[in-house]
């Protein structure tokens, strides 16, 4: 290709001259008007939109096709892929086949020259140029723009923390100049992560709506089924379009389809890598006053390539969580606005019964109920309509015994997390337990407990022990309430953390026996024995602590089951109002 690059102009001129001659000869012999050539990318775009009526397949370099909206015949580059015909048929396109066997040399000459032209065009084209160079009768529409309906933070129920963490970006979108004046660098990319249907798209849309800037949406998976080079060109096009309008939010759903970790061994997917690189390059190219922000969404943040998360890329991560009971109530109320609900419908109860429903599921539930009501021509949406929709939704979920299983799981999670929260509060009053919840996050945990330890340069030996006790308290609470036989796998992450701390305690900090960096010594068994003894001692302390405060554990778990999420004040209040255990 080097030769081609260096002598591009010369080659180009030669190719064009040859093309003109060849097309002349071709036209002379075929005695037909030469059909207009359409870029292959544009052909695919039109195919995706169902606008191709028929295709004449052959094994030549180009193929002929017609659009649904006109009689004229066009040509495009022939991909000559084995599965191309099937793709066409599946898209409902009328396919005829002609063989080129026995074509004369002139036809062959024309073909060769056409390939030359295509190569030349491919060399020349850049994404933006492609849309504008007039060669392309089909406008390549990409990215939907802001819809008619207004969407702002009020359209997103719950998720107060997520809203809070993107609010400065909204300010930036409104007045990028103000931030630039102070030399502030705003994040160019924000990664929203959370389970499907939790409202990531909605949140991105709301950011654009709040700031009053256009919204462009694409999905990572749109890019990967394409042919090499097309995805990258589309990315450039998308950004060019956004830049034309000045400010905007570019939303990329399912970013993991593009930015998956490169698994070692397997050689990378060229198309994906090219597209990803194009994306990163475009993001790097923003000036600080551009007012364009890229928001990406994924439900698998752990699978993303590190390259995506580096500073200046998607360096702000915001979790969009499943709704807790209050948020579920809000979502239901939000989507009930235009629906005539019967008076006896209890949204509060429905919110309570829809644990682990995502926002999308709640919306679907009300919609199904509305469909049920309209089917039977009812006056309004009745409790019966809702409960039918509710059971359909449950059946649609993976397991039919979902609610049942979930009830038990919720209890286990409530005790487990209460154990962490209680131990953290009791072992050290300086620990701040800011939140405890039994609503799962993308991390996959059943629930979680956020503890902020006091910030210090050095930690005392007792502080490390306290940390381990807090880690162990989830398991200990399960054991105390449900019995040794019924402890669960839910503590694996805690055990991993405790193991790390214990190992450091013994080997690195010299808190165990001996003042040596024992990680450098060959005494694995001795270290393991010491770690084990320490773990056992601390686990016993954990159990004792929780036993002494068993009423507080019960109350916390009970409150968690009722409210699903407790903040620091609520936690402190429950603990303060619980008596110490009278029996132990
Ligand atoms: P995701 O992008 O996380 O998969 P979406 O944003 O596509 O989820 O959510 C689908 C629909 O579910 C939304 O259009 C909205 O109607 C509803 N929904 C989800 N979460 C919420 C929420 N927090 N508040 C209001 N509606 C929500
Ligand atoms: Zn835990």
């Amino acid at each position: 290709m080097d030769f081609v690059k260096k002598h591009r102009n010369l080659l180009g001129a030669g190719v064009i001259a040859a093309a003109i001659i060849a097309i002349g000869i071709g036209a002379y012999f075929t005695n037909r008007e030469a059909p207009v050539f359409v870029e292959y990318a544009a052909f695919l775009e039109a195919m995706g939109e169902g606008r191709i009526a028929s295709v004449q397949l052959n094994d030549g370099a180009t193929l002929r096709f017609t659009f649904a909206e006109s009689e004229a015949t066009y040509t495009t580059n022939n991909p000559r892929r084995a599965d191309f015909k099937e793709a066409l048929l599946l898209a409902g396109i009328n396919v005829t086949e002609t063989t080129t066997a026995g074509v004369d040399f002139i036809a062959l000459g024309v073909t060769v020259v056409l390939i030359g032209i295509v190569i030349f065009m491919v060399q020349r084209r850049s994404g933006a140029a492609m849309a504008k160079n007039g060669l392309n009768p089909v406008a390549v529409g990409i990215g939907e723009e802001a819809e008619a309906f207004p969407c702002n933070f009020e359209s997103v129920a719950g998720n107060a923390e997520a809203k809070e963490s993107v609010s400065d970006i909204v300010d930036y979108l409104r007045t990028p100049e103000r931030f630039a004046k102070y030399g502030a660098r705003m994040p160019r990319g924000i990664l929203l992560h959370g389970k499907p249907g939790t409202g990531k798209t909605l949140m991105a849309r709301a950011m654009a709506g709040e700031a009053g800037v256009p919204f462009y949406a694409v999905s990572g998976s749109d890019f990967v089924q394409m042919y090499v080079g097309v995805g990258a060109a589309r990315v450039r096009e998308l950004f060019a379009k956004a830049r034309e309008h000045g400010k905007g939010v570019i939303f990329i759903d399912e970013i993991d389809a593009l930015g998956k970790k490169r698994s070692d061994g397997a050689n990378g997917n060229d198309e994906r890598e090219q597209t990803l690189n194009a994306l990163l390059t475009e993001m790097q190219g923003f000036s600080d006053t551009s007012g364009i922000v890229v928001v990406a969404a994924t439900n698998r943040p752990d699978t993303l390539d590190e390259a995506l998360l580096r500073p200046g890329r998607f360096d702000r991560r915001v979790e969009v969580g499943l709704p807790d009971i209050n948020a579920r109530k809000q979502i239901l109320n939000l989507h009930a606005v235009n629906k005539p609900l019967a008076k006896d419908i209890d949204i509060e109860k429905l919110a309570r019964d829809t644990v682990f429903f995502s926002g999308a599921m709640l919306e679907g539930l009300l919609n199904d109920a509305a469909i049920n009501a309209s089917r039977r021509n009812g006056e309004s949406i009745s409790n019966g309509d809702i409960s039918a929709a509710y059971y359909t939704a449950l059946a649609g979920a993976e397991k039919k015994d979902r609610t049942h299983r979930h009830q038990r799981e919720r209890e286990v999670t409530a005790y487990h997390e209460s154990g962490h929260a209680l131990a953290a509060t009791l072992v050290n009053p300086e620990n701040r337990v800011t939140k405890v919840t039994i609503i799962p996050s993308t991390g996959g945990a059943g629930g979680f407990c956020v503890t902020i330890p006091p910030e210090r340069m050095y930690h005392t030996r007792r502080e490390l022990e306290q940390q381990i006790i807090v880690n162990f308290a989830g398991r200990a609470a399960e054991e105390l309430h449900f019995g040794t036989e019924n402890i669960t796998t839910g503590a694996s992450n805690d055990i991993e953390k405790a193991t790390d701390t214990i190992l450091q305690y013994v080997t690195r900090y010299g808190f165990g026996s001996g003042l040596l960096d024992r990680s450098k010594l060959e005494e694995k068994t001795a270290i393991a024995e010491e770690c084990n003894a320490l773990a056992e001692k601390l686990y016993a302390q954990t159990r004792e602590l929780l036993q002494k405060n068993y009423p507080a554990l019960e109350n916390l778990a009970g409150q968690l089951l009722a409210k699903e999420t407790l903040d620091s004040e609520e936690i402190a209040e429950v603990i303060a109002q619980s008596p110490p255990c009278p029996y132990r």
Side-chain angles (χ1 to χ4, degrees), residues 155-157 159 195-202 253 331 334-335 359-360 363:
S155 331
V156 188
N159 278 312
K195 307 221 156 164
T198 44
K200 298 182 289 297
T201 312
L202 189 67
D253 205 359
I331 295 174
L334 213 62
H335 291 288
E363 195 221 332

Side-chain angles (χ1 to χ4, degrees), residues 480-492:
L480 286 177
H481 186 77
F482 298 99
T484 321
E485 298 300 309
N486 297 315
I487 53 179
T488 70
T489 52
S492 63

Side-chain angles (χ1 to χ4, degrees), residues 81-296:
R81 283 168 48 115
D83 56 359
F84 188 56
K85 184 175 175 190
E86 190 189 358
L88 293 173
L89 290 173
L90 287 175
I93 294 168
N94 184 2
V95 180
T96 52
E97 275 185 89
T98 55
T99 54
T100 45
V103 262
D104 55 25
F105 284 105
I106 291 169
L108 204 73
V110 172
T111 311
V112 167
V113 169
L114 278 176
I115 296 176
I117 294 176
V118 170
I119 291 179
F120 177 59
M121 293 306 173
V122 167
Q123 285 282 320
R124 253 182 28 145
R125 104 179 161 197
S126 80
M130 186 177 82
K132 287 191 193 139
N133 63 12
L135 242 180
N136 179 357
V138 188
V140 183
I142 190 168
E144 63 186 86
E145 280 180 57
E147 275 95 312
F149 74 88
C151 177
N152 54 28
F153 282 159
E154 273 171 33
S155 331
V156 188
N159 278 312
E161 285 149 49
K163 282 185 208 167
E164 171 72 42
S165 32
V166 297
S167 65
D168 59 337
I169 310 232
V170 170
D171 288 342
Y172 164 72
L173 283 167
R174 285 200 190 112
T175 47
E177 318 77 46
R178 206 181 80 214
F179 287 79
K181 188 172 134 197
Y182 296 101
R185 189 185 68 76
M186 288 310 284
R188 296 179 174 150
I190 295 124
L191 182 69
L192 300 179
H193 61 102
K195 307 221 156 164
T198 44
K200 298 182 289 297
T201 312
L202 189 67
M203 182 68 90
R205 214 182 273 277
M207 285 170 68
E210 282 283 320
V213 300
F215 180 72
Y216 308 89
V218 288
S219 171
S221 61
D222 291 346
F223 291 116
V224 286
Q225 296 129 7
M226 291 204 201
Y227 304 88
V228 174
V230 178
R234 280 193 137 195
V235 166
R236 289 192 286 267
E237 227 172 278
L238 175 64
F239 279 79
K241 188 168 155 192
R243 260 191 225 109
E244 234 168 67
H245 287 252
K247 305 191 231 173
V249 170
I250 295 178
F251 177 67
I252 306 175
D253 205 359
E254 297 179 58
I255 185 84
D256 38 308
L258 274 186
K260 233 179 274 162
K261 269 193 194 112
R262 276 158 261 214
S263 52
D264 16 29
N267 43 1
N269 171 335
D270 259 5
E271 169 58 359
R272 207 173 63 202
E273 233 148 83
Q274 278 193 21
T275 310
L276 182 59
N277 287 339
L279 172 67
L280 295 177
T281 311
E282 290 293 333
M283 286 174 70
Q284 223 95 58
F286 288 167
S287 74
D288 290 333
T289 47
S290 68
I292 295 177
V293 166
V294 185
V295 180

Side-chain angles (χ1 to χ4, degrees), residues 347-536:
I347 292 277
E348 180 101 37
K349 178 172 182 306
L350 191 56
R352 229 177 300 125
D353 290 344
T354 43
V355 190
F356 300 147
F357 273 51
S358 66
M361 283 168 79
L362 293 170
E363 195 221 332
L365 172 74
L366 284 183
N367 192 46
D368 282 355
I371 291 173
N372 291 344
S374 65
R375 276 221 196 98
R376 59 174 185 86
N377 240 334
E379 186 118 304
S380 56
I381 300 171
S382 71
N383 264 316
D385 296 327
I386 292 208
S387 79
Y390 176 74
Y391 287 107
T392 318
L394 286 186
E398 319 110 277
K399 289 261 163 65
K400 296 211 175 174
D401 63 344
R402 209 175 147 89
T403 36
H404 201 86
R405 199 188 43 158
H406 278 159
Q407 189 46 31
R408 174 70 180 201
E409 270 181 9
R410 288 178 81 227
E411 281 168 22
V412 172
T413 309
Y415 277 89
H416 181 108
E417 300 306 333
S418 297
H420 287 309
L422 182 59
T425 311
L426 294 177
V427 288
N428 186 349
E430 280 186 74
N431 280 337
R432 280 192 303 130
V433 185
T434 55
K435 178 178 174 178
V436 56
T437 177
I438 56 171
I439 298 291
S441 73
T442 29
F448 54 93
C449 171
V450 186
T451 305
I452 304 178
E455 206 165 319
R456 297 233 172 83
M457 186 105 75
Y458 303 112
H459 290 283
T460 64
R461 179 168 158 179
R462 188 57 196 160
E463 275 165 1
L464 283 198
E465 293 180 0
Q466 288 167 351
Q467 215 174 303
I468 299 161
I469 287 175
V470 173
N471 287 147
F472 282 161
R475 163 60 62 84
E478 285 183 36
E479 189 184 340
L480 286 177
H481 186 77
F482 298 99
T484 321
E485 298 300 309
N486 297 315
I487 53 179
T488 70
T489 52
S492 63
N493 199 4
D494 302 331
I495 292 176
E496 195 182 325
K497 277 191 214 143
T499 308
D500 287 344
T501 317
I502 291 176
L503 208 61
Q504 300 219 332
Y505 181 107
V506 170
T507 61
R508 239 181 107 197
Y509 302 130
F511 286 160
S513 56
L515 262 182
L516 288 172
D517 180 347
R518 293 170 69 185
S519 58
K520 295 195 173 131
L521 305 178
E522 294 288 325
E523 43 163 356
K524 291 232 154 49
T525 356
I527 293 174
E529 270 167 24
E530 198 172 329
C531 287
N532 260 325
L534 180 62
E536 247 166 64

Side-chain angles (χ1 to χ4, degrees), residues 1-17 116-126:
M1 278 314 242
D2 256 19
F3 174 81
V4 177
K5 265 188 199 146
K6 272 191 211 137
H7 302 272
R8 198 189 285 173
N9 287 338
L10 222 136
L11 238 165
V15 166
I16 288 185
I117 294 176
V118 170
I119 291 179
F120 177 59
M121 293 306 173
V122 167
Q123 285 282 320
R124 253 182 28 145
R125 104 179 161 197
S126 80

